[in-house]
Amino acid sequence: MKPVILITAGIERTDRGLIQSYCYKTYSEAVSNAGGIPLIVGDDSNLEELADRADGLYLTGGNDVDPTWYQGCSDYCEEADPWRDHLENRLIHLFMERKKPIFGICRGMQQINVTLGGSLFEDIGHRLNLEHPFEVPHTVHAKPNSKLHRWYGEEFTVNSFHHQAINQLGDGLEVVAWTEDRIVEAVAHKSLPIFGVQWHPERMTGDQPYTPVGPDMNCLFEDFCRMCAKS
Protein backbone atom coordinates (compact mmCIF):
# COMPACT_ATOMS: atom_id res chain seq x y z
CA MET A 1 0.00 0.00 0.00
CA LYS A 2 1.29 3.47 -0.88
CA PRO A 3 2.23 5.68 2.08
CA VAL A 4 0.24 8.85 2.71
CA ILE A 5 2.53 11.87 3.04
CA LEU A 6 1.25 14.96 4.84
CA ILE A 7 2.51 18.11 3.08
CA THR A 8 2.54 21.54 4.69
CA ALA A 9 1.69 24.73 2.80
CA GLY A 10 1.76 28.45 3.39
CA ILE A 11 -1.16 30.85 3.58
CA GLU A 12 -1.68 34.23 1.96
CA ARG A 13 -4.43 36.80 1.56
CA THR A 14 -5.85 37.25 -1.94
CA ASP A 15 -6.75 40.57 -3.56
CA ARG A 16 -10.37 39.84 -2.60
CA GLY A 17 -9.43 39.53 1.07
CA LEU A 18 -9.77 35.75 1.26
CA ILE A 19 -7.19 33.51 2.94
CA GLN A 20 -5.84 30.78 0.69
CA SER A 21 -3.20 28.12 1.10
CA TYR A 22 -0.48 27.61 -1.51
CA CYS A 23 1.97 24.84 -2.32
CA TYR A 24 4.00 24.51 -5.52
CA LYS A 25 3.02 21.52 -7.62
CA THR A 26 6.61 20.24 -7.77
CA TYR A 27 6.38 19.28 -4.07
CA SER A 28 3.46 16.89 -4.50
CA GLU A 29 4.72 15.63 -7.86
CA ALA A 30 8.01 14.54 -6.29
CA VAL A 31 6.11 12.49 -3.71
CA SER A 32 3.76 10.96 -6.29
CA ASN A 33 6.63 10.04 -8.61
CA ALA A 34 8.44 8.35 -5.70
CA GLY A 35 5.45 6.17 -4.83
CA GLY A 36 3.68 8.20 -2.16
CA ILE A 37 0.24 9.79 -1.90
CA PRO A 38 0.52 13.54 -1.19
CA LEU A 39 -1.98 15.09 1.20
CA ILE A 40 -1.74 18.87 1.68
CA VAL A 41 -2.71 20.25 5.11
CA GLY A 42 -5.62 22.64 4.61
CA ASP A 43 -6.09 23.90 8.17
CA ASP A 44 -4.90 23.34 11.72
CA SER A 45 -7.83 21.29 13.01
CA ASN A 46 -7.64 17.54 13.67
CA LEU A 47 -3.82 17.57 13.68
CA GLU A 48 -3.54 14.61 16.04
CA GLU A 49 -5.84 12.54 13.83
CA LEU A 50 -3.84 13.55 10.76
CA ALA A 51 -0.64 12.50 12.50
CA ASP A 52 -2.23 9.15 13.35
CA ARG A 53 -3.43 8.51 9.81
CA ALA A 54 -0.52 9.89 7.75
CA ASP A 55 2.66 7.85 7.34
CA GLY A 56 5.09 10.78 7.07
CA LEU A 57 5.44 14.55 7.29
CA TYR A 58 6.89 16.64 4.46
CA LEU A 59 7.78 20.25 5.34
CA THR A 60 8.11 22.44 2.25
CA GLY A 61 9.78 25.77 1.52
CA GLY A 62 8.27 29.19 2.08
CA ASN A 63 8.49 32.34 4.20
CA ASP A 64 11.09 32.93 6.89
CA VAL A 65 10.50 31.32 10.27
CA ASP A 66 9.52 34.07 12.72
CA PRO A 67 12.77 34.99 14.57
CA THR A 68 10.92 35.21 17.89
CA TRP A 69 10.95 31.39 17.88
CA TYR A 70 14.74 31.40 18.33
CA GLN A 71 15.32 34.81 19.95
CA GLY A 72 16.58 36.19 16.66
CA CYS A 73 16.53 39.67 15.18
CA SER A 74 13.78 40.64 12.73
CA ASP A 75 15.86 43.37 11.01
CA TYR A 76 17.16 41.03 8.32
CA CYS A 77 14.16 38.71 8.03
CA GLU A 78 11.57 38.73 5.29
CA GLU A 79 7.83 38.28 5.82
CA ALA A 80 6.91 35.54 8.29
CA ASP A 81 3.88 33.24 8.40
CA PRO A 82 2.95 32.86 12.11
CA TRP A 83 0.08 30.46 11.40
CA ARG A 84 2.40 28.14 9.54
CA ASP A 85 5.11 28.37 12.22
CA HIS A 86 2.65 27.14 14.85
CA LEU A 87 1.18 24.48 12.54
CA GLU A 88 4.54 22.97 11.64
CA ASN A 89 5.88 23.18 15.18
CA ARG A 90 2.88 21.20 16.40
CA LEU A 91 3.09 18.65 13.56
CA ILE A 92 6.80 18.05 14.12
CA HIS A 93 6.16 17.23 17.77
CA LEU A 94 3.23 14.97 16.90
CA PHE A 95 5.20 13.00 14.32
CA MET A 96 8.23 12.78 16.62
CA GLU A 97 6.02 11.35 19.37
CA ARG A 98 4.87 8.70 16.91
CA LYS A 99 8.42 8.17 15.58
CA LYS A 100 7.16 8.70 12.04
CA PRO A 101 9.46 10.05 9.26
CA ILE A 102 9.84 13.79 8.73
CA PHE A 103 11.48 15.37 5.68
CA GLY A 104 12.17 19.11 5.50
CA ILE A 105 13.15 21.20 2.49
CA CYS A 106 14.68 24.71 2.74
CA ARG A 107 12.39 26.47 5.23
CA GLY A 108 11.27 22.98 6.27
CA MET A 109 14.78 22.06 7.41
CA GLN A 110 15.08 25.38 9.23
CA GLN A 111 11.73 24.80 10.95
CA ILE A 112 12.90 21.38 12.14
CA ASN A 113 16.06 22.95 13.55
CA VAL A 114 14.18 25.74 15.34
CA THR A 115 11.54 23.37 16.73
CA LEU A 116 14.33 21.23 18.20
CA GLY A 117 15.81 24.24 19.98
CA GLY A 118 18.26 25.46 17.35
CA SER A 119 18.64 28.90 15.80
CA LEU A 120 19.19 30.52 12.41
CA PHE A 121 21.38 33.16 10.84
CA GLU A 122 18.67 35.67 9.85
CA ASP A 123 20.57 36.64 6.68
CA ILE A 124 23.73 35.00 5.33
CA GLY A 125 25.12 38.23 3.89
CA HIS A 126 24.65 40.33 7.02
CA ARG A 127 25.37 37.70 9.67
CA LEU A 128 28.19 35.76 8.00
CA ASN A 129 29.49 38.37 5.56
CA LEU A 130 29.30 35.76 2.82
CA GLU A 131 27.90 35.82 -0.69
CA HIS A 132 25.37 33.08 -1.30
CA PRO A 133 23.58 34.17 -4.48
CA PHE A 134 19.93 33.25 -4.93
CA GLU A 135 19.28 30.74 -7.76
CA VAL A 136 23.02 30.17 -8.33
CA PRO A 137 24.11 26.48 -8.27
CA HIS A 138 26.89 25.56 -5.87
CA THR A 139 28.79 22.54 -4.57
CA VAL A 140 28.01 20.76 -1.31
CA HIS A 141 30.14 18.24 0.57
CA ALA A 142 28.52 15.11 1.99
CA LYS A 143 29.47 13.46 5.27
CA PRO A 144 31.28 10.13 4.65
CA ASN A 145 29.02 7.08 5.02
CA SER A 146 25.88 9.23 4.96
CA LYS A 147 23.00 8.51 2.59
CA LEU A 148 23.92 11.55 0.51
CA HIS A 149 27.50 10.33 0.22
CA ARG A 150 26.37 6.88 -0.91
CA TRP A 151 24.00 8.27 -3.52
CA TYR A 152 25.88 11.30 -4.84
CA GLY A 153 29.50 11.01 -3.74
CA GLU A 154 31.70 13.31 -1.71
CA GLU A 155 30.74 16.41 -3.70
CA PHE A 156 27.73 17.29 -5.83
CA THR A 157 25.93 20.33 -7.19
CA VAL A 158 22.63 21.68 -5.88
CA ASN A 159 20.38 24.69 -6.50
CA SER A 160 19.99 27.54 -4.01
CA PHE A 161 16.86 29.48 -3.03
CA HIS A 162 17.56 30.76 0.50
CA HIS A 163 19.04 33.73 2.33
CA GLN A 164 19.04 32.18 5.81
CA ALA A 165 21.01 29.27 7.28
CA ILE A 166 21.28 27.14 10.39
CA ASN A 167 23.29 28.69 13.22
CA GLN A 168 23.00 26.72 16.47
CA LEU A 169 22.10 23.09 15.72
CA GLY A 170 18.89 21.70 17.21
CA ASP A 171 18.88 18.92 19.81
CA GLY A 172 19.62 15.49 18.36
CA LEU A 173 20.59 16.76 14.91
CA GLU A 174 23.87 16.29 13.09
CA VAL A 175 25.20 17.98 9.95
CA VAL A 176 25.47 15.63 6.97
CA ALA A 177 26.21 18.14 4.17
CA TRP A 178 27.77 21.59 4.01
CA THR A 179 29.23 24.15 1.62
CA GLU A 180 32.87 25.15 1.24
CA ASP A 181 32.21 28.13 3.53
CA ARG A 182 30.55 25.84 6.13
CA ILE A 183 26.91 26.74 5.54
CA VAL A 184 24.78 23.79 6.69
CA GLU A 185 23.11 22.14 3.71
CA ALA A 186 21.63 18.97 5.22
CA VAL A 187 20.88 17.56 8.67
CA ALA A 188 19.74 14.22 10.07
CA HIS A 189 18.48 13.22 13.51
CA LYS A 190 20.72 10.83 15.40
CA SER A 191 17.92 8.54 16.58
CA LEU A 192 14.67 9.50 14.82
CA PRO A 193 13.74 9.29 11.09
CA ILE A 194 14.15 13.04 10.53
CA PHE A 195 16.06 14.48 7.59
CA GLY A 196 16.32 17.93 6.03
CA VAL A 197 18.09 19.64 3.13
CA GLN A 198 18.61 23.34 2.45
CA TRP A 199 18.31 23.10 -1.34
CA HIS A 200 15.19 22.21 -3.34
CA PRO A 201 15.47 18.57 -4.51
CA GLU A 202 11.89 18.60 -5.82
CA ARG A 203 13.13 20.98 -8.51
CA MET A 204 15.94 18.57 -9.46
CA THR A 205 13.93 15.48 -10.43
CA GLY A 206 12.47 14.03 -13.62
CA ASP A 207 13.28 14.41 -17.30
CA GLN A 208 12.73 18.18 -17.31
CA PRO A 209 13.69 19.50 -13.85
CA TYR A 210 12.89 23.10 -12.95
CA THR A 211 16.58 23.65 -12.15
CA PRO A 212 18.58 21.34 -14.41
CA VAL A 213 21.74 21.16 -12.28
CA GLY A 214 23.39 18.36 -10.34
CA PRO A 215 22.21 14.75 -9.96
CA ASP A 216 18.60 13.60 -10.10
CA MET A 217 17.26 13.90 -6.55
CA ASN A 218 14.54 11.29 -6.84
CA CYS A 219 16.53 9.03 -4.47
CA LEU A 220 15.69 11.37 -1.60
CA PHE A 221 11.97 11.03 -2.18
CA GLU A 222 12.06 7.30 -2.84
CA ASP A 223 13.98 6.76 0.39
CA PHE A 224 11.53 8.96 2.32
CA CYS A 225 8.52 7.12 0.89
CA ARG A 226 10.09 3.74 1.75
CA MET A 227 10.57 4.87 5.34
CA CYS A 228 7.01 6.13 5.49
CA ALA A 229 5.66 2.83 4.13
CA LYS A 230 7.31 1.06 7.09
CA SER A 231 6.07 3.48 9.74
Side-chain angles (χ1 to χ4, degrees), residues 132-133 136-140 156-160 162 179 185 199 213:
H132 200 77
V136 175
H138 61 83
T139 299
V140 299
F156 55 96
T157 302
V158 298
N159 55 25
S160 183
H162 65 108
T179 64
E185 287 284 339
W199 66 89
V213 299

Side-chain angles (χ1 to χ4, degrees), residues 199-226:
W199 66 89
H200 281 262
E202 82 286 359
R203 301 179 184 181
M204 297 173 62
T205 65
D207 297 330
Q208 294 182 313
Y210 179 79
T211 52
V213 299
D216 191 311
M217 289 286 160
N218 192 49
C219 286
L220 279 174
F221 297 98
E222 288 182 336
D223 181 67
F224 178 56
C225 287
R226 279 195 298 268

